[in-house]
Amino acid sequence: MAVNSVVFTVKAKDADGDTITYLTDKSSPDASYFRIDLPNSGMVILDKPLDFETKTQLLVVIYAVEMNTKEKYSTTAKVTVNVLDGDDQYPQFLPCSPVYEDSDHAICTNPVYTVNITETDEDTVLYFSPGPIHAEDGDKDIQTPLVYSILSGDDNGRFTLDHETGEITLLQRVENRLLTPSFRLRIMAAQLNDPKKYSVATALVHVISENRFAPYFNKTVYKGFLIENVSPATLVSTYGNQVLVVQAIDRDFKDEINPKVHYTLHPMMGTNKLYHITQDGIVIAKTDRLRAFDRHILEVIATDEESGETARASVDIEVLQRGQPVPRSPFEEERLFGDMNAGMAGVIAALVLIVAMTALFLLLWLAKIRRERRDPADRGSVALGKHPNVSLRWFRQVST
């Protein structure tokens, strides 16, 4: 219904035949939608546009008041206006990607549909993400049927589309993915009864290499070293002080390097945010937060972003003391730490010997102190080579 149209007319009766004036109650929930231009007519006018998608029911209170009497008697009527859906909305591709949203409605942009194919694919239905390709009439209560078509990008009939369902089929294989790495199709959904009401979305088709091999690491455990320092960031090195590179191998490529592999770190407890891995497989550490003799085990995950396949490996990182050289090989690492263990054992043995000698000295010293504190008579008896009790008994026998 157009604005300024008569929505409805009210009529009140008065037994006295008094003149009646009609007013809208401005405190009514939806009074802003209506007005009365001729107070005695009872005609209620639409004051602003209706929108079924926003509000399906309106409530307004109308006053009928005697204007030519002293008493000004009045009465009220509550009027409920049901809003029916009109064909005023355009089709919308799903899912909705809202750019604005409130409690009543949302404004959406059309999604971009994507799918991957290989050079060997042909005469096959394409399953897009998000999918399937589907649009709906914006007038939810009407749901006018839609018809689909390809506006551009079908590459001379390489792709065909079902006009009723929007399903896209690849009819011809791609001869060379290096020459045609992707296709961009423009898909239109229009109302069957009104082609002027339409919407357009984009469908991207990426041509990827045939995936015959999953990525893998050539080691299950990589060894890394860091030297204790105050630098905020340092590259983790490996044997021979070479930069550690943790890189997955993919035999689908001639150089065995898949540019679509994405690397992530899953640190163990207590090592979160201490390490970062680049997309070239280089591990970076925050050395200013590490201390000598720290040891951390990290898990590296390599994900093929095209196939979704993954590979996993561990990185064993040790923090060395300042001035301590990085081992040149695993054998040198064993010898280095073996020598350190032997030296440590010698130090421990020396400490034990010192403690034992100290304890022996204390025992001898305590024994000497105890001897010096004995009774003088005892010392005299001992000097004569006699026991004091024996001498006393002999003296008593002689006296008797």
Side-chain angles (χ1 to χ4, degrees):
M1 178 171 285
V3 175
N4 299 321
S5 300
V6 176
V7 182
F8 59 90
T9 301
V10 293
K11 185 69 175 178
K13 294 181 179 180
D14 184 85
D16 299 318
D18 297 320
T19 303
I20 299 175
T21 298
Y22 300 94
L23 306 168
T24 59
D25 182 357
K26 299 301 181 183
S27 65
S28 302
D30 302 303
S32 60
Y33 281 89
F34 308 102
R35 73 176 192 270
I36 298 177
D37 290 340
L38 301 175
N40 301 119
S41 68
M43 294 187 296
V44 180
I45 310 298
L46 182 65
D47 200 34
K48 68 179 185 179
L50 300 174
D51 184 8
F52 176 84
E53 285 70 34
T54 301
K55 209 169 184 63
T56 60
Q57 195 173 75
L58 307 173
L59 179 64
V60 63
V61 175
I62 308 296
Y63 281 102
V65 184
E66 295 178 349
M67 296 303 294
N68 61 340
T69 65
K70 178 181 178 181
E71 291 79 11
K72 296 288 193 286
Y73 291 125
S74 66
T75 188
T76 61
K78 292 183 179 180
V79 182
T80 299
V81 179
N82 294 307
V83 181
L84 304 179
D85 199 3
D87 191 4
D88 60 344
Q89 300 294 316
Y90 284 69
Q92 173 70 54
F93 280 93
L94 302 179
C96 167
S97 301
V99 294
Y100 171 79
E101 191 172 11
D102 60 22
S103 58
D104 293 325
H105 67 287
I107 299 175
C108 302
T109 59
N110 288 333
V112 176
Y113 301 99
T114 60
V115 68
N116 294 334
I117 64 172
T118 67
E119 293 174 332
T120 60
D121 291 333
E122 64 178 331
D123 197 22
T124 181
V125 174
L126 302 183
Y127 296 96
F128 288 83
S129 177
I133 294 176
H134 179 68
E136 288 184 352
D137 183 7
D139 299 304
K140 306 299 182 183
D141 206 45
I142 298 179
Q143 289 298 307
T144 302
L146 306 177
V147 59
Y148 299 90
S149 59
I150 299 178
L151 294 180
S152 63
D154 67 341
D155 196 31
N156 297 320
R158 188 184 301 276
F159 301 94
T160 185
L161 179 142
D162 188 306
H163 297 293
E164 293 183 2
T165 65
E167 185 178 77
I168 296 177
T169 302
L170 172 67
L171 297 179
Q172 305 169 22
R173 61 185 293 270
V174 178
E175 293 77 13
N176 190 330
R177 68 182 182 88
L178 298 179
L179 296 178
T180 51
S182 64
F183 298 90
R184 179 184 291 268
L185 285 71
R186 300 287 287 170
I187 311 300
M188 183 176 74
Q191 289 187 192
L192 187 62
N193 63 348
D194 186 0
K196 292 181 179 180
K197 290 189 174 66
Y198 66 88
S199 185
V200 178
T202 299
L204 298 177
V205 181
H206 299 289
V207 186
I208 62 174
S209 60
E210 185 179 3
N211 187 42
R212 293 175 295 173
F213 302 99
Y216 69 95
F217 290 102
N218 59 2
K219 296 179 182 179
T220 55
V221 179
Y222 290 81
K223 188 66 179 181
F225 299 96
L226 290 164
I227 298 176
E228 183 182 26
N229 64 77
V230 295
S231 173
T234 304
L235 302 181
V236 177
S237 60
T238 188
Y239 297 112
N241 207 22
Q242 300 295 314
V243 174
L244 175 64
V245 179
V246 184
Q247 202 163 46
I249 296 171
D250 193 334
R251 292 169 57 194
D252 287 316
F253 296 81
K254 290 182 179 180
D255 59 359
E256 297 187 333
I257 303 299
N258 184 349
K260 294 294 185 180
V261 167
H262 179 77
Y263 295 95
T264 54
L265 274 182
H266 278 203
M268 301 305 176
M269 186 175 295
T271 62
N272 192 28
K273 297 182 180 180
L274 292 179
Y275 298 92
H276 168 73
I277 189 168
T278 70
Q279 294 316 299
D280 295 318
I282 297 174
V283 182
I284 302 173
K286 295 181 178 180
T287 38
D288 58 345
R289 296 172 56 185
L290 302 174
R291 298 294 177 264
F293 305 112
D294 283 353
R295 185 171 183 177
H296 298 140
I297 307 296
L298 312 176
E299 184 183 36
V300 179
I301 302 176
T303 304
D304 187 337
E305 293 185 318
E306 289 185 343
S307 66
E309 296 170 320
T310 61
R312 297 171 183 264
S314 297
V315 182
D316 181 0
I317 300 176
E318 291 188 42
V319 182
L320 307 177
Q321 301 179 79
R322 293 176 186 269
Q324 184 178 346
V326 175
R328 286 178 290 182
S329 68
F331 305 103
E332 182 177 333
E333 180 187 8
E334 291 180 5
R335 187 174 73 250
L336 173 64
F337 289 101
D339 293 342
M340 290 177 63
N341 293 336
M344 186 66 71
V347 172
I348 293 173
L351 290 173
V352 171
L353 180 60
I354 291 171
V355 171
M357 292 180 65
T358 303
L360 180 60
F361 173 78
L362 289 173
L363 289 173
L364 293 174
W365 181 70
L366 289 173
K368 182 180 178 182
I369 294 298
R370 292 180 64 183
R371 286 197 301 270
E372 291 177 352
R373 290 181 178 178
R374 284 183 178 177
D375 186 73
D378 292 348
R379 291 201 299 273
S381 300
V382 172
L384 293 172
K386 302 174 183 179
H387 196 279
N389 294 332
V390 175
S391 301
L392 179 61
R393 287 196 298 271
W394 177 80
F395 174 75
R396 287 176 178 171
Q397 289 174 1
V398 173
S399 302
T400 306

